[in-house]
Amino acid sequence: MPAMNNSFKLTGRLIAAARALVGVGRADFASAAGISVAALQQIERGGSAWIGSDPEVEAIARALEYFGVIVVDESDGMGKGVRLKFTRQDVRQIARLEGEGGIIGSDDAP
């Protein structure tokens, strides 16, 4: 397995948890990652096994960023997890501002 930065060590369970957190289906998440739905299903089926492919890690990291999810490292005896990058209030404010019209930039948040 290639050496990876700990902040990018991902498992299928973390990815499934991230999708559940933001309420995104496999098709939308796979599209944001630039991978097939079948590839995403295979990754998630791996359960707690680390994703060993750098291209797959990079693809998943893109999708996590797109949907505003961050991976929380292990600490204080607790395992890894996922959380929202923005508070719900932030997301509502961004949606309100984007709904007002104008050009939408690359910093879009769901």
Side-chain angles (χ1 to χ4, degrees):
M1 172 164 60
M4 288 182 276
N5 180 321
N6 280 342
S7 63
F8 289 105
K9 285 184 104 177
L10 298 170
T11 67
R13 286 184 182 158
L14 283 172
I15 296 163
R19 284 193 317 99
L21 179 64
V22 294
V24 173
R26 278 193 181 117
D28 290 334
F29 193 89
S31 176
I35 61 175
S36 69
V37 173
L40 179 58
Q41 285 175 317
Q42 184 177 2
I43 291 168
E44 287 185 349
R45 253 188 252 124
S48 60
W50 296 117
I51 298 172
S53 162
D54 284 341
E56 285 180 338
V57 170
E58 290 169 10
I60 297 300
R62 277 192 307 270
L64 293 174
E65 177 68 25
Y66 178 80
F67 288 109
V69 175
I70 59 173
V71 176
V72 180
D73 283 329
E74 294 182 24
S75 66
D76 300 325
M78 303 292 284
K80 277 192 172 220
V82 292
R83 67 177 302 159
L84 294 174
K85 186 180 214 177
F86 305 107
T87 65
R88 294 196 189 284
Q89 182 178 356
D90 292 339
V91 171
R92 281 194 303 273
Q93 179 71 0
I94 290 167
R96 185 185 65 76
L97 291 171
E98 287 184 346
E100 290 180 348
I103 298 172
I104 297 175
S106 63
D107 62 344
D108 291 344

